[in-house]
Amino acid sequence: MSAACPAGPPAAAKAEPVKKAPRKPTTVICPLSGFEVKPEKPGLSPKTLERLEASLREERTRHVLQAADLQAEADQLAAEREGGDTQFDEESGEGDTINIERERDLLLSASAQQIVDEIDRALERIADGTYGVCLPAGRRITLERLEALPYAETCVDCKARAERRR
């Protein structure tokens, strides 16, 4: 018959309590709403992810070409005019029209380049496994939103809150 000590093992044999590593927070604060939200995993199938990535790459190519074409048009308009060659012909108004066209081309080119930058960030999120997750809130972005705007960084709720703040 073995005798067990009712007080437990001797003091020298007692194990020290195991220190647990600090846990990662299970929720984050959405900077747009101020509410706590639980980060989610993207939840996209590999086939869906592959289809969305192909769409992103195709859209990127289109916007790169568009930005380059618009920049070339703006440069051509500037080259066609000599420095200080502004006409203020009351009948034609040609000088103002050329300036407006050039500014429009430059703005559209910058807009297309901005979309290219957003697409590049989306491709980076695909590579690191965070694509399809709202950046501010950590919630899943709906597949419908990603299909409509494959480079979306926010869910519909966060985007709507951001638009209301403007």
Side-chain angles (χ1 to χ4, degrees):
M1 188 165 128
S2 66
C5 177
K14 282 188 180 179
E16 290 186 30
V18 177
K19 293 182 181 178
K20 295 182 180 178
R23 293 183 355 177
K24 291 183 179 178
T26 56
T27 61
V28 295
I29 304 296
C30 174
L32 298 175
S33 68
F35 295 117
E36 282 191 12
V37 292
K38 183 177 180 181
E40 297 182 23
K41 293 184 180 180
L44 298 169
S45 72
K47 191 173 187 174
T48 301
L49 196 59
E50 185 177 306
R51 181 174 45 83
L52 289 169
E53 183 176 4
S55 174
L56 281 165
R57 292 193 185 283
E58 179 182 310
E59 196 162 340
R60 183 185 191 285
T61 300
R62 187 169 47 87
H63 284 287
V64 165
L65 292 173
Q66 182 181 26
D69 287 347
L70 288 164
Q71 182 66 48
E73 283 180 31
D75 292 345
Q76 182 180 3
L77 285 171
E80 288 175 359
R81 298 185 65 150
E82 295 178 19
D85 183 25
T86 304
Q87 297 177 350
F88 292 103
D89 184 359
E90 292 178 16
E91 292 178 16
S92 70
E94 191 67 29
D96 290 338
T97 303
I98 291 174
N99 283 337
I100 290 170
E101 286 180 27
R102 183 173 184 277
E103 288 298 317
R104 184 205 65 197
D105 288 346
L106 289 172
L107 286 170
L108 291 173
S109 176
S111 178
Q113 186 56 51
Q114 182 180 356
I115 292 173
V116 169
D117 295 342
E118 291 176 15
I119 291 171
D120 288 343
R121 288 194 302 272
L123 292 170
E124 288 173 10
R125 289 193 307 276
I126 288 175
D128 70 17
T130 60
Y131 179 77
V133 175
C134 176
L135 293 180
R139 292 186 295 246
R140 287 183 185 162
I141 300 172
T142 63
L143 181 57
E144 292 82 11
R145 177 159 170 77
L146 291 173
E147 286 174 339
L149 193 68
Y151 48 87
E153 296 179 332
T154 59
C155 63
V156 173
D157 292 339
C158 288
K159 183 65 175 179
R161 284 187 191 101
E163 291 296 321
R164 279 185 288 215
R165 288 184 175 189
R166 288 186 178 178

